[in-house]
Amino acid sequence: MAGASKKNRATGSANAITADLVAVLVAVTDGEPKIMTIANDGALPSGPFEFAHRSLQTGLRSWVEAQTGHPLGYVEQLYTFADRGRAGDATSPHSISISYLGLTREDKVGQGFEAHWSGWYEYFPWEDRRAGVPASLAKTLASRLRAWAKSAETTSLQRERWQRAAITFGLDDREWNEELVLQRYELLYEAGLIPEAVRDGISAAAVIPGRPMTGDHRRILATGIARLRAKIKYRPVVFELMPAEFTLLQLQRSVEALAGRLVHKQNFRRLIEQQQLVEETGAIAADTVGRPAKLFRFRHGVLAERAIAGTKLPLSRT
Amino acid sequence: MAGASKKNRATGSANAITADLVAVLVAVTDGEPKIMTIANDGALPSGPFEFAHRSLQTGLRSWVEAQTGHPLGYVEQLYTFADRGRAGDATSPHSISISYLGLTREDKVGQGFEAHWSGWYEYFPWEDRRAGVPASLAKTLASRLRAWAKSAETTSLQRERWQRAAITFGLDDREWNEELVLQRYELLYEAGLIPEAVRDGISAAAVIPGRPMTGDHRRILATGIARLRAKIKYRPVVFELMPAEFTLLQLQRSVEALAGRLVHKQNFRRLIEQQQLVEETGAIAADTVGRPAKLFRFRHGVLAERAIAGTKLPLSRT
DNA sequence: TCGGTTATGCTCAGGATAAGTATAAGCTAG
DNA sequence: CTAGCTTATACTTATCCTGAGCATAACCGA
């Protein structure tokens, strides 16, 4: 490999390829997680990779800031994809996609920009369990997965498939793990239960609800959601998605929106306050139902003070 | 961005670049973490990116397996680097490095291969705290960092720099966080305390101990170590680095080697056993000092049974 | 047989967590 | 103006997890 490297470098562009940036830009509005989409909401924002900037990170950041007129709070690299046959076109496989996750706020989007914000659960209906298991999916999904498992050749393969489905989808009384977004998507792809699989020539059963995307964008989105759901548990990144001032319930709703499940209110507050992540502004929330809540702001100081552990989701079992 | 993409694609290779794979291949032998190195131990194995395989992952896997004659247990993508001016040569910036972390065992390396295994603490002496803070570094490092902090222009910048150094290096009675490998490396780079910084034209103070690497390979290695140190806490990946049968102390020593710090023996065992990660082989370790230990093997079943949480490092404070 | 070394079982205190109870403070319908 | 709804916020309780240490077992060699 090392030897081959020198050889290719010497002879020139033997391995020239093209690279694209793909961005998963997330905002939370009114307790709903949104992502920026283009192409009639069928694709994530993407474009050719530019070497104009010192790093990929700063390049993406300045691009988004130019488009939205708003500083991109948090950016992190997601993954570099290069699988052939997964882009929807097997004809031009010599391209790789470098994907990023970025956190913003919807209200600050600049004028004249063709992008929209779409709810991310449009693309992943099965990931939203805040109101319990989605009724439209509960039975269909499990039975389709069972059919897929049964269609395997040997008995042990059948068992293997079903065990995998049961773990990733929390079937057979197993616990639902909200972080397995990508594993669930990949399993549905393999099982031929989503349009992308049909497109790529996987033998297709009837397809389940959930909007598809071009190329492997929905896979990239799944990667982003999974990363974010993991991250909010040990880094205080939720605050990048909040307005400057917010109530504790609003904060809780945002976390729940991202995680796709409900948390225990009192314990959530204890967690937030004992970690000194927020401070009171002194003001009180207006136009609310019920007892008015205190407004809080994020204590930006904590980021400098210590290497903090974030939120941790005190889940409620009901 | 999306529009520009189409344009460039239409006109051809306007944004053609080259991509390299860089591998951080880890093994643990006799309680020492090793990495595979080439070029007189001054570089990580790397080579041109090939589209021959279905995915980057399988490409790397088959390459390593061909070289070492041994199935690569665990592979995961680390990061895609494309910073200009960090490769040691500002002349050819139109290349990106896709880096991978792979776990193997040293003893299975194939014949006639020019790669070596080097202890990773040769490159990061300050990361090994198993025998306490390294004597050769304790004073030098702190005073150099303090000097760097003081050399900032404003008082607030000075405080900021020192706070950052104190957090990442556990100074001023702060706790040492073994996962901040990359942050520590980057800080040393910025402070001009390592040869790579001198090479890249950062104004250089006297350099601290620790072997440099070509390009930004040491940065990639730091990324790999950090990822692995985080991973062993929530995924049972240590076992990829162990022989088929091992004693619990050997397992503990491997974890300690990776983490760079000691753990509490009894609590470590409790953790391992209560999670049912291992099972007795029935055999007893031979040629040991002290009371002979039972031999264990990894229960591969757990990977299928549940989405497991790994080891978690019951650190001892002494 | 004693001292050194490692293995292994067990206890104990303190802290973190999950869950629930109780009370406060606003609103609106009647 | 008050009952009943909603949300906010303070406490309580039982349980589990974690860090730490003690005690004993089993081997070796001097």
Side-chain angles (χ1 to χ4, degrees):
Chain A
M1 205 168 180
S5 169
K6 276 174 208 150
K7 230 179 283 172
N8 277 338
R9 287 251 180 73
T11 55
S13 58
N15 58 333
I17 57 171
T18 61
D20 278 317
L21 283 184
V22 183
V24 178
L25 297 176
V26 179
V28 175
T29 309
D30 298 329
E32 278 309 313
K34 308 280 190 76
I35 49 158
M36 191 181 279
T37 50
I38 61 167
N40 203 24
D41 301 338
L44 295 170
S46 67
F49 170 71
E50 307 279 2
F51 269 105
H53 293 279
R54 266 192 39 250
S55 76
L56 292 172
Q57 197 114 338
T58 56
L60 178 77
R61 195 180 282 275
S62 65
W63 176 76
V64 172
E65 288 172 9
Q67 295 296 339
T68 65
H70 178 252
L72 192 48
Y74 180 85
V75 177
E76 93 173 36
Q77 196 181 93
L78 275 178
Y79 204 81
T80 299
F81 295 91
D83 295 3
R84 297 207 295 182
R86 281 293 289 265
D89 51 345
T91 48
S92 67
H94 283 220
S95 174
I96 61 179
S97 299
I98 306 171
S99 59
Y100 276 86
L101 172 67
L103 308 183
T104 353
R105 307 223 34 248
E106 182 177 355
D107 55 19
K108 300 276 184 69
V109 171
Q111 274 69 20
F113 188 56
E114 38 122 18
H116 291 146
W117 291 98
S118 312
W120 80 22
Y121 292 121
E122 279 181 41
Y123 305 91
F124 296 97
W126 56 87
E127 294 292 345
D128 189 3
R129 299 206 146 201
R130 288 174 293 176
V133 185
S136 60
L137 282 161
K139 286 161 196 167
T140 348
L141 192 51
S143 68
R144 295 272 168 78
L145 288 172
R146 202 176 291 274
W148 168 71
K150 285 219 176 108
S151 73
E153 296 193 349
T154 70
T155 326
S156 77
L157 255 181
Q158 287 176 15
R159 214 193 334 267
E160 229 171 74
R161 278 190 177 183
W162 177 249
Q163 195 175 38
R164 194 174 143 217
I167 290 174
T168 51
F169 282 90
L171 306 170
D172 285 351
D173 291 314
R174 285 168 193 266
E175 275 215 15
W176 173 262
N177 183 343
E178 70 279 354
E179 293 186 25
L180 304 180
V181 188
L182 182 61
Q183 286 87 331
R184 283 187 282 269
Y185 176 78
E186 292 286 45
L187 192 143
L188 293 176
Y189 180 90
E190 282 180 47
L193 295 175
I194 53 175
E196 285 94 329
V198 182
R199 179 201 66 195
D200 296 349
I202 312 281
S203 73
V207 141
I208 62 163
R211 186 168 187 174
M213 287 180 142
T214 57
D216 54 357
H217 283 197
R218 196 150 62 140
R219 184 160 63 133
I220 295 173
L221 178 54
T223 308
I225 295 175
R227 183 75 62 86
L228 190 50
R229 282 184 171 180
K231 205 102 192 179
I232 51 174
K233 291 177 189 166
Y234 62 95
R235 280 301 133 80
V237 288
V238 216
F239 300 102
E240 307 283 352
L241 301 162
M242 302 298 297
E245 303 194 350
F246 48 84
T247 70
L248 292 181
L249 186 58
Q250 286 168 345
L251 182 65
Q252 182 185 342
R253 293 284 177 247
S254 293
V255 170
E256 290 173 336
L258 299 175
R261 50 197 313 194
L262 301 177
V263 306
H264 184 108
K265 186 195 277 199
Q266 294 91 327
N267 292 344
F268 176 76
R269 297 163 105 94
R270 178 178 57 195
L271 222 59
I272 297 291
E273 284 174 349
Q274 94 187 150
Q275 292 192 139
Q276 299 175 286
L277 291 173
V278 298
E279 61 189 4
E280 297 184 16
T281 66
I284 298 282
D287 67 295
T288 57
V289 193
R291 174 174 168 179
K294 291 176 193 165
L295 284 173
F296 292 82
R297 75 169 71 89
F298 178 51
R299 282 188 57 242
H300 284 90
V302 291
L303 294 175
E305 286 165 20
R306 50 203 161 96
I308 5 73
T311 311
K312 260 195 174 180
L313 298 200
L315 296 173
S316 58
R317 290 188 183 148
T318 45
Chain B
M1 206 166 179
S5 169
K6 275 175 208 147
K7 230 178 283 173
N8 277 338
R9 287 252 181 71
T11 54
S13 59
N15 58 335
I17 56 172
T18 62
D20 278 317
L21 284 184
V22 183
V24 177
L25 297 176
V26 179
V28 175
T29 309
D30 297 330
E32 278 308 312
K34 308 280 188 81
I35 47 158
M36 190 181 280
T37 51
I38 59 166
N40 202 24
D41 300 338
L44 295 170
S46 68
F49 170 71
E50 307 279 3
F51 269 104
H53 293 277
R54 266 194 36 253
S55 76
L56 291 172
Q57 198 114 337
T58 55
L60 179 76
R61 197 180 281 274
S62 66
W63 177 76
V64 172
E65 288 173 8
Q67 294 296 339
T68 64
H70 178 251
L72 191 49
Y74 180 85
V75 178
E76 92 173 36
Q77 196 181 92
L78 275 178
Y79 204 81
T80 300
F81 294 92
D83 296 2
R84 297 205 296 178
R86 280 293 289 264
D89 53 344
T91 49
S92 68
H94 282 219
S95 174
I96 61 179
S97 299
I98 306 171
S99 59
Y100 276 86
L101 171 68
L103 307 182
T104 353
R105 310 224 32 248
E106 183 178 355
D107 55 21
K108 300 277 184 70
V109 171
Q111 274 69 20
F113 188 55
E114 38 121 19
H116 291 147
W117 291 98
S118 313
W120 79 23
Y121 290 122
E122 279 180 42
Y123 304 91
F124 296 98
W126 57 88
E127 293 292 346
D128 188 2
R129 297 205 147 202
R130 287 174 294 175
V133 185
S136 60
L137 282 161
K139 287 161 195 167
T140 348
L141 192 51
S143 68
R144 296 272 168 78
L145 289 172
R146 201 176 292 273
W148 169 70
K150 284 216 176 111
S151 73
E153 295 192 350
T154 69
T155 326
S156 78
L157 256 181
Q158 287 176 15
R159 214 193 335 268
E160 229 171 74
R161 278 191 178 182
W162 178 249
Q163 195 175 37
R164 193 173 143 218
I167 290 174
T168 50
F169 282 90
L171 307 171
D172 286 350
D173 291 314
R174 284 167 193 268
E175 276 214 14
W176 173 261
N177 184 341
E178 71 278 355
E179 292 186 25
L180 304 179
V181 188
L182 182 61
Q183 286 88 331
R184 283 187 282 270
Y185 176 79
E186 293 287 43
L187 192 143
L188 293 175
Y189 181 89
E190 282 180 47
L193 294 175
I194 52 175
E196 285 94 331
V198 182
R199 180 200 65 196
D200 295 349
I202 312 282
S203 74
V207 140
I208 61 162
R211 186 170 187 173
M213 286 180 143
T214 57
D216 54 356
H217 282 198
R218 196 150 63 141
R219 183 159 63 133
I220 295 173
L221 177 54
T223 308
I225 295 176
R227 182 75 61 86
L228 189 50
R229 282 183 172 180
K231 206 102 193 180
I232 50 174
K233 291 176 189 166
Y234 62 97
R235 280 300 133 81
V237 287
V238 217
F239 300 101
E240 307 284 353
L241 301 162
M242 302 298 297
E245 303 194 351
F246 48 84
T247 69
L248 291 181
L249 184 59
Q250 286 169 345
L251 182 66
Q252 183 184 341
R253 293 284 177 247
S254 293
V255 170
E256 290 174 335
L258 299 175
R261 49 197 314 193
L262 301 177
V263 306
H264 184 110
K265 185 194 277 198
Q266 293 92 326
N267 292 344
F268 177 76
R269 296 164 107 95
R270 177 175 60 191
L271 221 59
I272 297 292
E273 284 175 349
Q274 94 188 148
Q275 292 193 141
Q276 300 175 285
L277 292 172
V278 298
E279 62 188 4
E280 298 184 16
T281 66
I284 298 283
D287 67 298
T288 56
V289 193
R291 174 174 169 179
K294 291 177 191 164
L295 284 173
F296 292 82
R297 75 170 71 90
F298 178 52
R299 281 188 58 240
H300 285 90
V302 290
L303 294 175
E305 288 166 18
R306 49 201 161 98
I308 6 74
T311 312
K312 263 201 173 177
L313 296 200
L315 296 173
S316 59
R317 290 188 185 148
T318 44

